[in-house]
Amino acid sequence: QVQLVESGGGLVQAGDSLRLSCAASGRTFSRSAMGWFRQAPGKEREFVATIAWSGGSTRYADSVKDRFTISRGNAENTVSLQMNSLELGDSAVYYCAATAVTYSSDTPSRPQSYSYWGQGTQVTVSS
């Protein structure tokens, strides 16, 4: 059974940092792009960041560029999201995702490109 399990969410104040982690099991994702999306109440799921299978390419949403950093540990089958200078608008449920396509240098930003999803972890930023 394939599982992606996020952790690290919580309640923080604006300006604080938080690190999200996603651990995969059931299959290896070391050859797949992995990404982070988020969804706030009443809004559609939106792209946050993604990293190619090799770790050599990354892509970020404009709203998080220069504040968030995505990284991966292929040996550990994990992906992380370091979030700095958090803003109120960053509050959302954050989801980890992985593509079924392997060995691609693409860094897809559409949710439809991802076949595997975690259950999400809540991030709440207060003023």
Side-chain angles (χ1 to χ4, degrees):
Q1 180 183 1
V2 176
Q3 278 192 314
L4 298 176
V5 179
E6 303 93 338
S7 61
L11 172 63
V12 297
Q13 291 190 321
D16 284 351
S17 297
L18 208 56
R19 185 177 180 85
L20 303 182
S21 295
C22 173
S25 60
R27 72 166 264 172
T28 180
F29 289 105
S30 62
R31 298 176 289 274
S32 301
M34 299 189 76
W36 288 93
F37 291 77
R38 67 187 182 187
Q39 187 167 19
K43 295 187 177 182
E44 292 187 353
R45 189 168 298 190
E46 66 172 357
F47 167 73
V48 175
T50 185
I51 185 166
W53 73 274
S54 65
S57 298
T58 57
R59 182 190 293 195
Y60 296 91
D62 288 342
S63 60
V64 307
K65 202 173 293 184
D66 298 327
R67 298 190 298 122
F68 291 10
T69 302
I70 189 171
S71 60
R72 65 188 298 159
N74 282 345
E76 301 82 14
N77 221 17
T78 60
V79 64
S80 299
L81 185 69
Q82 177 66 41
M83 305 186 295
N84 298 329
S85 303
L86 283 161
E87 303 171 351
L88 296 180
D90 294 321
S91 294
V93 176
Y94 282 70
Y95 298 91
C96 166
T99 65
V101 174
T102 57
Y103 292 117
S104 172
S105 60
D106 289 346
T107 50
S109 60
R110 298 187 313 140
Q112 298 89 328
S113 297
Y114 293 81
S115 300
Y116 303 94
W117 292 87
Q119 293 300 305
T121 185
Q122 177 71 49
V123 172
T124 303
V125 184
S126 66
S127 59

